[in-house]
């Protein structure tokens, strides 16, 4: 059993390699298509054409694309993602320091969406076509239709500027606090580990608005999938069997219905999570969140190859792991899928 | 008389699971691929005007055999002769344009599933005419629209489908009507061989009766040959001249309907017969019941009788050699102990 | 404790932060100048003057001691000798010596790129020019008489590095410890870098051993990056931060009249927003077309809508002889149409109007209004918004026919500005590729001219030429604006447009 | 049997469904009863409302369906008015049901043994380990080989016949007094069908259980049931002992149904069909829903007030026809 | 589908008629926006800059004094146009790939599956950003970017539908009728795939609009001065805190409503096409 799981995981990871390789190639090519000239950027505002050429040579940008690609692969193999021009740091270090920020935000957003979305979906599914259902549907659907950048701005305006309930949209911590000692990189968790409740409160307060912005966006897919899945399951033969056997409504709903809806819900969660990681860019921009999304955006605008390449690769790897864990979780729920 | 259709030692094996990938092969996973033996060593002749019934339990390979005959599937081994032409070696995807395509037609099991929901009844029946209507292929011009229309209406009349229904979509038709559309499509090209894969199993008895009459009549009028697949022995008896009993890919018994029904020889046939209701509340209990599960069709032991695990007369010999049908008599059975009915438990 | 800490801590928000701690590094960005300014010392610094509105600003006419207590120009006028402060120490406690100064200057003129270029502007080009006389005395030999030499030693690039420390991290491949100094400081300035998280935050603490000036008041300064100007505004308005630096004009307008916010806007010297026309791209090679453009631009609309009046207009006739100086042009559609007709372009033509996306807060409205106005004389334009790095590349390529852009020179001399923007050497900033030998001669002459009257004549000469031929149409002079809580004092405007933390205090 | 009250009694049951196309009167005043220990079959064509009747009785109708008249009595309980908790107490313990498609009627992600245990947990106070033993024993009782191992199997790991055995094991886990078997063998092979039917009959006999067998297979009904009710388009048209019904059907529909069924010994010529199709229930229906297909229809057939009444000659033979054979 | 069935469905789900009305308004605005807009959406009027909503300027004015109502109205064309073009392109290519993969299976399927996997392995929005950044800011490039990131979804939807239908009885019947593969795929199977495809397209319209607007928001959208809702929100973002909420609010609202319209429409279509989804 265990060896089978390991070999499954192993073969899945092996199977993802070609995709990752393609991601590396495609990103590399797209980045070289960018019209910007990193050498010009690097050379500074007043550089002469010769100076730019000189820099180009220093950076190895005058070599042919295949050679550059080969060099890049060589660096990658050594765990070197290159240097960011914009932050001036090694990309790997930047990613390590920024990825937890994005992940923390995304995970909290997903939690919010799950905590709200699943009950709403259940509510809808158990009262199909009632007004409760319609209102839920309208609200959750509206959630996906709100551009996150717009929601974020409106939330800041209302909750920070007008009401003053939430702290300034200034990233992960109030300016007065310094980050807790790094263990996981998640400030909330690290603060708890360090027993620093003030920092925890501040980190949490900072998280709420951006996470709600993202979470509201993720609400609809989850609520919808729960509703649709549950509706399907509730009208299934085995739920009817369970009812006919006199099992209590609670047991029927949880053990028979919800658990069977879990697989599509888990899949949706995986999809939503990866999608949120992608659109983090917008929320991070609005909330000055020092995550990988805004990092990649800035780098992209600056034609800064290395960070974008590193970011895309990191996310792609993350996706592979995410999909794998979703599949494993689904396999645990429904053994048919584990075969 | 030369047979219309003749199968000679036909096999069909499906590879199971994914082919081992390049990586797996590179790492030395050279376990041979599992094979599902769906049809094994099947030979029979079907004469013009004859109707053969094929019975057997679910998954025994009836549909696979049918699809081999209709050339929707390629055989793994063996020859299929139709009108003395070897059609078994034409790849399935090329058979659509084969000269014999129009001669072998089929009526499908599920009348709903086998009609395109986006086509009207007329289009469903007209489709084969438009594709294969003109003979001989490929030089001939396709049938004119008027000719198609005439033929469709004729076919509809032949299956007693009111012409008014031709404009309807399948979901606007009842089950029996859908089946008539399916039959009309099957006979539109005036085939020589019509294959019926459980045509009435999705219908109620009341509709089934009409269809059975219709089929019998069509056969008489058009001189068709039938290969009739069914799991209902009573129906086979009504419609067929000969019957073949299939078990896990093998024909275990074949013979004239009366002979087989009167004295089934293979233990499986016997169980099958015993399962048929006598429609008599007072009839006595002389029943043979199958115990245990069937063997797996995946990589079966080539030296063991396929029925071994469920057989009430099994002997050592059955485990050591595969019984085959003897080729001489009209009533053939693939069993080492066909006559020891007395040992029934 | 929190409240106490708050009193001695300054919270600053800026749009984006430094990407390096080393101003000599390749690709170092503007905010890094500010870091260098506060973390490193220079030999000299500029004086300070009070403006009419009571705010302070550096005085480019006077130089004051910083690490050097005094300096003297040799009799022959061919060198200058600096005497270093004897008690000065770097942050790690190492005393500052002339060797450190030489190492630093050698580094600046050798590593290439921006520092070398900047040193060159003051005719500081070769390591041999920097001579260690004794541990506390350094001589700089002049290559030529250049009045920019001394001022150039007070700009951020001339920072003094702790060479002992730096050399420890040097490698044969990297003799100047570029890699290490990028992420580590080796300075002796008033502030130390306590922590730096690139892209989000920099924390400075006061260097208690600083001797080069009056002890700074603030113990700790936190500089947070907040890209959204709206957030910046909200933060300062709600009192959550002490200083918001380099605000957008719109934010300034909105903060105006808010009781709890103090605003200071200082015109950026030697800088202007302009519409540039590439004279190598017909029909902009035709001076009449350029003049037509100059006459059709809706100056006042632009000034009102793009910067909300936050700046100094550079159109409609000069009122004094300062630099930058307004042009004689004002919006006059009839004249513009006439000029177009004279140039033979009654029907107009089509072209592309580019601007830097990074500066789109101002650039975009300017471009839109320009587009609208040009349409009146038949010039149809497609707007091309070019992202940051591509903008650099596009400027280098010099193939944009029409652009909205801004430029400012560090050293506040008109000939310095013209050298970079109009001179036939065709530097990047001469984005119009303008070439006129007559103008070149005047600029070159002014640069090394010592006679004030002659100098003045040269300056007037090239300004007139440039304004008559209008390859670039000046629009306005921008401001650098800072908003702070009323209790924050000591803000000083510097040519490098970064915050000088040393003078700031909280009351 | 005639004197005492039957164990299970459906009286005047009508069910309507709310559909996209309007109301559908699926059941029309159904009467049916099953005595203790008795085996009764309901036969009828597809869509005649057999399953709906069973679902209505057990309170597991689709939300779109509404009972519009009648009552369902089981022992001393009126199932239609019983509180949900009380009904849940009965279902699975006293009243059990087996469904048509065994594979889909089992929870796909729960080991089959656990599904039996769930029912035991609901209706008995056995301890955890006892429940487990009971579940294994239950699997053994439906003749599943190696029950302890099968306990852990998921439905997808079992064949259709085995799934049906598990269904039976679940239904009979608490030794109910009434078993409703809704087409328990459709979709199974004929050889498996008889094995399953034998098993049900055997267990019913052993437990003294009443059985209501719902099927469209007349042969099956005749082989296993003492009494048969014939249903057509939501109406019970005739009900009698199997023997009576086969020998002398009185309702034209019953007779037609027999004639249309291929039987051993029948010939193609003797096989006749029923004219017309099942009526479209969305349209208003005449009192006798067969009247539109019936060749013996007479003017009186369209008058209201048609009820299932005992034949004068045989009180166990009920008929709803104005012009019987 | 019968009429009363349709009426019943629309009554059951009151959001669908709402969506249909919104859709009509949207299409009307896109077609006639420039004709009916009360002001010239491009004309600046700095004297009236940043005016609050009033009778003259229903949605107020922006920094350059342009009428936001007119711009929102005309913006419908841009946003709708981009989304429609992107969706059509993605659907066309995605359908072709998905149908081929689903029908032929085997190596073709594996190859196409791998291709979509690769696209999906990217953070999609960032991929769109990169594409626009690489190809340049222009309407057509935004369309390409949107189409590329949408394509995998069509491939998947169509692939799975086709893979199911490939085994349907009517496909075998078509084969027996002498149809060869391409004909079976495109004439027999594809008509049945259209309904889910249309649903997907409707849902994707909304998504594409969001995408285009988001790209504009981060400055990688289409060029000014074309009125586009995302850019208008981005431009308006800086005014929210200073109290000029209308600059961002109305375009944002228009965007939200338009996306909502397509989502509800997609849902409604799904109800109508596939009654099993809702009971
Ligand atoms: N394409 C295929 N690939 C792999 N296995 C197949 C394929 N088609 C059929 N089989 C297997 O071949 C066996 C015979 O299937 P077939 O459909 O011929 O049975 P059948 O007798 O028609 O059954 P039924 O009565 O259920 O229609 C089954 O075990 C089936 O799973
Ligand atoms: N949920 C429902 N909504 C609408 N109509 C329904 C519903 N369930 C059943 N019906 C209708 O009720 C009628 C009787 O259905 P039922 O399932 O009881 O038939 P049956 O006799 O069990 O048929 P079968 O032999 O096919 O199982 C059918 O016409 C069916 O369409
Ligand atoms: Mg079959
Ligand atoms: Mg039923």
């Amino acid at each position: 059993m265990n060896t089978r799981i390991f070999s499954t995981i192993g073969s899945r990871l092996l199977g993802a390699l070609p995709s990752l390789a393609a991601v590396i190639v495609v990103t590399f090519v797209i980045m070289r298509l960018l019209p910007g000239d990193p050498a010009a950027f690097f050379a500074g505002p007043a550089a002469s054409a010769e100076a730019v050429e000189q820099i180009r040579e220093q950076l190895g940008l005058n070599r042919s694309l295949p050679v550059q690609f080969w060099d890049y692969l060589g660096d990658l193999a050594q765990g070197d993602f290159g240097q960011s021009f914009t932050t001036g740091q090694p990309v790997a270090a930047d990613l390590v320091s920024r990825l937890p920020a994005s992940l923390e935000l995304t995970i909290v957003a997903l939690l919010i969406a799950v905590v709200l979305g699943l009950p709403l979906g259940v509510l809808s599914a158990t009262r199909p076509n009632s007004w409760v259902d319609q209102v839920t549907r309208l609200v959750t659907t509206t959630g996906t239709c709100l551009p996150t950048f717009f929601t974020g701005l409106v939330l800041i305006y209302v909750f920070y500027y007008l009401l003053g309930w939430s702290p300034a949209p200034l990233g992960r911590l109030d300016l007065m606090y310094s980050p807790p000692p790094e263990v996981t990189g998640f400030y909330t968790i690290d603060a708890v580990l360090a027993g620093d409740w003030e920092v925890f409160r501040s980190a949490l307060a900072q998280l709420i608005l951006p996470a709600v912005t993202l979470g509201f966006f993720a609400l609809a897919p989850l609520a919808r999938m729960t509703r649709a899945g549950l509706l399907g399951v509730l009208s299934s033969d085995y739920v009817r069997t369970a009812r006919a056997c006199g099992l209590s409504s609670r047991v029927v709903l949880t053990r028979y219905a919800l658990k069977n809806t879990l697989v599509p819900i888990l899949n949706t969660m995986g999809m939503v999570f990866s999608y949120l990681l992608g659109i983090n860019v917008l929320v991070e921009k609005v909330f000055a969140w020092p995550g990988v999304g805004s990092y990649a955006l800035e780098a992209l605008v600056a034609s800064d190859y290395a960070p974008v390449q590193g970011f895309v690769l990191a996310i792609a790897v993350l996706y592979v792991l995410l999909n794998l864990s979703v599949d494993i979780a689904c396999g645990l729920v429904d053994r048919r899928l584990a075969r | 008389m030369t047979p219309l259709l003749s199968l000679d030692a036909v096999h069909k094996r499906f590879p199971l699971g994914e082919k081992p990938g390049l990586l797996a092969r590179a790492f030395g996973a050279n376990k041979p691929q599992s094979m599902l033996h769906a049809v094994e060593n099947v030979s029979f002749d079907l004469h013009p005007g004859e109707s053969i019934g094929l019975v057997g339990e679910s998954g025994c390979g009836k549909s696979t055999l049918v699809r081999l005959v209709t050339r929707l599937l390629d055989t793994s081994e063996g020859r299929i002769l139709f009108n003395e032409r070897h059609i078994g070696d034409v790849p399935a995807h090329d058979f659509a344009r084969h000269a014999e395509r129009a001669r072998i037609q089929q009526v499908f099991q599920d009348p709903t599933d086998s009609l395109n929901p986006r086509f009207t009844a007329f289009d469903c029946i007209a489709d084969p005419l438009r594709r294969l209507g003109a003979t001989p292929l490929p030089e001939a011009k396709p049938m004119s629209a008027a000719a198609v229309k005439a033929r469709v209406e004729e076919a509809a009349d032949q299956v007693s489908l009111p012409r008014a229904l031709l404009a309807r979509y399948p979901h606007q038709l009842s089950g029996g009507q859908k089946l008539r559309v399916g039959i009309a499509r099957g006979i539109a090209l005036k085939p020589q061989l019509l294959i019926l894969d459980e045509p009435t199993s999705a219908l109620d008895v009341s509709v089934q009766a009409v269809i059975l009459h219709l089929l019998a009549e069509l056969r008489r009028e058009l001189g068709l040959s039938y290969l009739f697949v069914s799991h209902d022995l009573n129906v086979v008896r009504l419609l067929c001249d000969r019957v073949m009993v299939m078990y896990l890919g093998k024909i275990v018994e074949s013979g004239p309907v009366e002979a087989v029904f009167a004295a089934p020889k293979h233990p499986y046939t016997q169980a099958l017969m015993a399962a048929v209701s006598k429609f008599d509340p007072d009839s006595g209990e002389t029943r043979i019941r199958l115990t245990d599960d069937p063997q797996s069709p995946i990589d079966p032991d080539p030296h063991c009788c396929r029925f071994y695990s469920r057989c009430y007369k099994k002997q050592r010999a059955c485990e050591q050699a595969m019984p085959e049908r003897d080729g001489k008599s009209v009533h053939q059975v693939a069993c080492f102990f066909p006559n020891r009915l007395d040992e029934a438990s | 404790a929190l409240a106490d800490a708050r009193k001695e801590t300054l919270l600053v928000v800026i749009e984006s932060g430094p990407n390096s701690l080393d101003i000599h590094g390749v690709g170092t960005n503007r905010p890094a100048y500010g870091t260098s300014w506060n973390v490193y010392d220079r030999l000299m610094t500029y004086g300070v003057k009070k403006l009419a509105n009571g705010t302070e600003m550096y005085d480019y006419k006077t130089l004051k001691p910083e690490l050097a207590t005094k300096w003297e120009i040799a009799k022959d006028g061919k060198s200058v000798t600096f005497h270093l402060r004897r008690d000065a120490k770097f942050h790690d406690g190492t005393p500052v010596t002339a060797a450190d100064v030489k190492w630093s200057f050698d580094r600046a003129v050798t590593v290439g790129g921006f520092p070398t270029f900047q040193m060159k502007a003051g005719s500081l080009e070769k390591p041999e020019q920097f001579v260690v006389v004794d541990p506390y005395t350094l001589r700089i030999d002049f290559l030529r008489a250049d009045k920019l030499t001394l001022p150039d030693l007070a700009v951020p690039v001339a920072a003094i590095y702790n060479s002992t420390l730096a050399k420890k991290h040097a490698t044969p491949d990297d003799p100047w410890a570029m890699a290490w100094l990028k992420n580590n400081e080796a300075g002796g300035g008033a502030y130390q870098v306590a922590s730096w998280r690139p892209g989000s935050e920099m924390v400075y603490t006061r260097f208690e051993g600083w001797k080069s000036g009056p002890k700074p008041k603030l113990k700790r300064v936190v500089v947070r990056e907040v890209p959204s100007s709206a957030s910046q505004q909200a933060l300062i308005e709600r009192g959550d931060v002490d200083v918001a630096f380099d605000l957008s004009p719109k934010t300034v307008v909105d903060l105006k009249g808010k009781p709890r916010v103090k605003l200071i806007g200082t015109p950026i010297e030697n800088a202007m927003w302009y519409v540039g026309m590439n004279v190598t791209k017909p029909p902009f090679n035709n001076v009449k077309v350029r003049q037509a453009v100059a006459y059709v631009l809706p100056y006042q609309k632009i000034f009102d809508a793009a910067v909300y009046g936050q700046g100094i207009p550079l159109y409609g006739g000069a009122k004094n002889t300062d630099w930058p100086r307004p042009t004689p042009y004002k919006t006059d559609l009839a004249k513009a149409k006439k000029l177009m007709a004279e140039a033979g372009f009654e029907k107009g033509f089509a072209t592309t109007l580019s601007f830097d996306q990074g500066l789109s807060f101002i650039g975009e409205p300017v471009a839109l209004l320009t587009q609208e106005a040009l349409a009146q004389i038949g010039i149809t334009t497609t707007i091309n918004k070019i992202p940051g790095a591509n903008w650099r590349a596009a400027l280098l390529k010099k193939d944009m026919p029409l652009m909205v852009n801004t430029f400012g020179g560090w050293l506040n001399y008109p000939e310095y500005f013209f050298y970079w923007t109009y001179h036939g050497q065709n530097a990047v900033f001469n984005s119009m590729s303008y070439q006129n030998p007559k103008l070149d001669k005047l600029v070159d002459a002014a640069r090394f001219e010592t006679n004030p009257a002659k100098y003045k004549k040269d300056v007037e000469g090239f300004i007139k030429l440039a304004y008559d031929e209008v390859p670039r149409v000046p629009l306005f002079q921008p401001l650098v604006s800072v908003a702070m809580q009323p209790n924050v004092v000591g803000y000083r405007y510097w040519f490098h447009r970064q915050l000088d933390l040393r003078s700031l205090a909280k009351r | 049997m005639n004197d005492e009250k039957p164990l299970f009694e459906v009286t005047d049951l009508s069910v309507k469904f709310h559909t996209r196309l309007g109301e559908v009167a699926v059941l029309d005043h159904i009467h049916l009863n099953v005595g203790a220990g008795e085996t009764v079959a309901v036969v009828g064509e597809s869509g005649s409302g057999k399953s709906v009747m069973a679902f209505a009785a057990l309170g597991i109708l689709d939300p779109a369906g509404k009972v519009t008249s009648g009552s369902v009595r089981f022992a001393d309980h009126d199932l239609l008015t019983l509180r949900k908790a009380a009904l849940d107490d009965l279902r699975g313990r006293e009243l059990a049901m087996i469904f048509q498609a065994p594979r889909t009627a089992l929870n796909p992600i729960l080991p089959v043994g656990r599904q039996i245990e769930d029912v035991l947990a609901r209706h008995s106070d056995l301890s955890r380990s006892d429940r487990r033993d009971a579940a294994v024993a239950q699997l053994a009782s439906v003749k599943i080989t190696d029950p302890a191992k099968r306990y852990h199997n998921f439905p997808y790991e079992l064949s259709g016949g085995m799934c049906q055995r598990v269904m039976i094991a679940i239904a009979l886990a608490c030794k109910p007094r009434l078993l409703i078997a809704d087409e328990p063998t459709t979709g199974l092979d004929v050889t498996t069908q008889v094995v399953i039917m034998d098993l049900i009959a055997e267990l019913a006999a052993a437990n003294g259980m009443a059985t209501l067998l719902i099927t469209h297979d007349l042969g099956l009904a005749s082989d296993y049931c003492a009494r048969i009710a014939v249903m057509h388009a939501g109406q019970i048209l005739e009900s009698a002992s199997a023997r009576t019904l086969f020998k002398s059907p009185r309702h034209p529909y019953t007779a037609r149904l027999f004639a249309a069924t291929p039987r051993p010994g029948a010939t193609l010529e003797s096989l006749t069909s029923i004219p017309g199709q099942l009526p479209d229930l969305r349209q208003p229906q005449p009192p006798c829903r067969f009247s539109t297909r019936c060749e013996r229809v007479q003017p009186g057939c369209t008058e209201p007030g048609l009820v299932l009444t005992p034949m004068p000659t045989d009180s166990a033979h009920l008929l709803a026809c104005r012009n019987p054979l | 589908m019968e009429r009363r069935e349709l009426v019943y469905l629309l009554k059951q789900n009151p959001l669908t008629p709402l969506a249909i009305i919104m859709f009509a308004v949207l299409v009307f605005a896109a077609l006639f926006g420039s004709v009916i807009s009360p002001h010239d959406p491009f004309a600046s009027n700095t004297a009236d800059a940043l005016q609050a909503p009033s009778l003259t300027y229903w949605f107020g004015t922006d920094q350059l004094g342009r009428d936001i109502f007119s711009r929102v109205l005309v913006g419908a064309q841009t946003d709708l146009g981009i989304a429609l073009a992107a969706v059509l392109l993605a659907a066309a290519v995605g359908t072709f790939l998905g149908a081929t993969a689903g029908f032929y299976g085997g190596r073709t399927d594996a190859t196409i599956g791998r291709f979509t996997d690769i696209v999906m392995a990217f953070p999609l929005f960032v991929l769109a950003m990169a594409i626009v950044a690489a190809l340049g800011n222009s309407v057509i490039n935004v369309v390409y970017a949107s189409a590329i990131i949408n394509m995998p979804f069509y491939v998947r939807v169509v692939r799975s539908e086709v893979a199911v239908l490939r085994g349907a009885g009517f496909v075998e019947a078509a084969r027996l009728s002498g149809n060869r593969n391409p004909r079976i795929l495109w004439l027999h199977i594809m008509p049945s795939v259209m309904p889910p495809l249309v649903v997907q397209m409707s849902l994707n319209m909304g998504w594409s609009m969001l995408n285009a607007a988001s790209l504009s928001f981060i400055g990688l959208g289409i060029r000014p001065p074309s009125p586009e809702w995302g850019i208008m929100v981005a431009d308006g973002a800086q005014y929210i805190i200073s109290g000029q909420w209308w600059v961002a609010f109305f375009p944002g609202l228009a965007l939200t409503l338009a996306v909502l319209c397509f989502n509800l429409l997609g849902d409604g279509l799904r109800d109508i096409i596939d009654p099993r989804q809702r009971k």
Side-chain angles (χ1 to χ4, degrees), chain B residues 57-58 174 177 204-206 208-210 212-213 216 231 234-235 237-239 268 271-272 275-282 287 289-290 292-293 310, chain D residues 45-46 145 159 162 189-191 194-195 198 218-219 222-224 242-243 246-247 257 260-268 271-274 277 293:
Chain B
E57 67 184 16
S58 175
S174 75
Q177 290 164 344
D204 279 315
V205 279
S206 60
Q208 174 178 287
V210 196
L212 291 181
H213 278 289
H231 56 251
N234 283 321
V235 173
R237 198 177 51 84
L238 289 176
L239 220 58
Y268 175 65
L272 216 51
V276 175
S277 170
K278 303 291 169 295
F279 283 85
D280 181 0
D282 301 325
R287 289 182 169 167
R289 296 292 188 243
L290 294 181
D292 281 319
D293 290 325
R310 303 169 89 180
Chain D
E45 289 173 85
S46 176
T145 44
S159 70
M162 291 240 259
D189 286 316
V190 272
T191 48
V194 287
V195 175
D198 286 351
L218 274 174
S222 73
D223 284 352
Y224 290 95
R243 194 173 298 110
F246 273 81
K247 295 251 161 65
L257 207 54
T261 310
R263 282 187 275 175
T267 58
L268 197 54
L271 202 67
T272 59
S273 62
I274 307 173
Q277 318 164 3
R293 310 169 75 179

Side-chain angles (χ1 to χ4, degrees), chain A residues 240, chain B residues 204, chain D residues 15-20 22 24-27 42-55 61-65 100 182-183 186 214-216 231 233-234 278-279 281, chain E residues 279:
Chain A
R240 199 178 51 200
Chain B
D204 279 315
Chain D
V15 170
K16 281 194 171 141
F17 270 93
H18 193 65
T19 73
R20 286 173 167 222
V24 183
V26 170
L27 290 187
V42 178
V43 298
E45 289 173 85
S46 176
S48 56
K50 308 181 293 290
S51 300
V52 167
M53 182 189 70
F55 295 166
L61 262 188
D62 193 275
Q100 188 161 355
D182 185 4
E183 313 209 18
T186 350
I214 293 173
T215 178
H216 59 249
M231 198 161 174
L278 277 182
L281 298 184
Chain E
K279 287 258 171 154

Side-chain angles (χ1 to χ4, degrees), chain C residues 290-446:
Chain C
R290 302 203 295 265
Q291 285 171 342
V293 170
Y295 273 115
V296 83
L297 289 183
Y299 296 102
Q300 193 59 39
K301 262 177 135 178
I302 290 176
F303 190 58
D304 293 342
V307 286
Y308 305 90
Q310 300 291 308
I312 295 174
L314 292 180
Y315 50 86
K319 288 172 198 74
N320 53 34
T321 55
D322 288 350
W323 176 254
R325 172 185 312 177
T327 64
Y329 299 101
K330 51 183 184 285
T331 318
D332 185 344
L333 182 60
K335 208 157 176 181
K337 278 191 167 148
K338 207 175 121 232
L339 281 163
M340 283 295 277
E342 283 171 21
F345 286 100
E346 282 142 312
K347 294 252 167 62
F349 55 90
T351 185
T352 325
L353 172 58
S354 314
F355 67 93
D356 180 359
Q357 174 178 312
L359 297 171
S360 61
F361 272 9
I362 296 176
E364 188 162 329
V366 174
L368 287 171
L369 290 170
T370 302
Q371 181 185 47
E372 198 185 8
L374 289 181
Q376 293 174 314
I377 53 171
I379 306 179
T380 52
T381 47
T382 315
I383 290 185
N384 197 9
K385 201 167 165 178
I386 304 181
N390 309 1
W391 179 250
R392 243 348 127 60
L395 280 179
L396 265 174
K397 262 199 232 146
K398 292 185 179 272
D399 62 354
M400 294 182 284
L402 182 64
M403 80 206 75
V404 172
N405 197 13
T406 178
F407 173 76
W410 275 20
L411 303 177
N412 192 13
Y413 301 95
E415 68 273 18
Y416 182 80
F417 185 92
F418 273 72
Y419 180 72
W420 290 116
T421 57
Y422 286 92
H423 195 280
Q425 59 143 343
N426 209 1
V428 196
F429 304 116
N430 184 354
S431 46
M432 312 83 67
S433 292
Y434 179 70
Q435 268 163 329
N436 184 343
K438 245 161 72 194
L439 184 137
D440 293 356
K441 238 171 85 194
L442 289 170
V443 173
D444 290 339

Side-chain angles (χ1 to χ4, degrees), chain A residues 15 129 134 137 227 275, chain E residues 12-13 114 207 263 267 278:
Chain A
N129 285 343
Q134 303 287 6
R137 237 159 56 91
R227 178 184 184 276
Y275 187 64
Chain E
Q12 277 277 298
N13 185 357
R114 177 106 297 164
W207 199 56
N263 271 301
D267 279 1
R278 295 170 58 83

Side-chain angles (χ1 to χ4, degrees), chain B residues 14-16 36 38 56-65 67 109 197-198 231 297:
Chain B
F14 291 109
L16 279 188
L36 188 148
E57 67 184 16
S58 175
C60 72
K62 305 184 293 291
S63 296
T64 306
L65 181 58
R67 297 171 76 233
Q109 174 167 11
D197 190 356
E198 310 202 20
H231 56 251

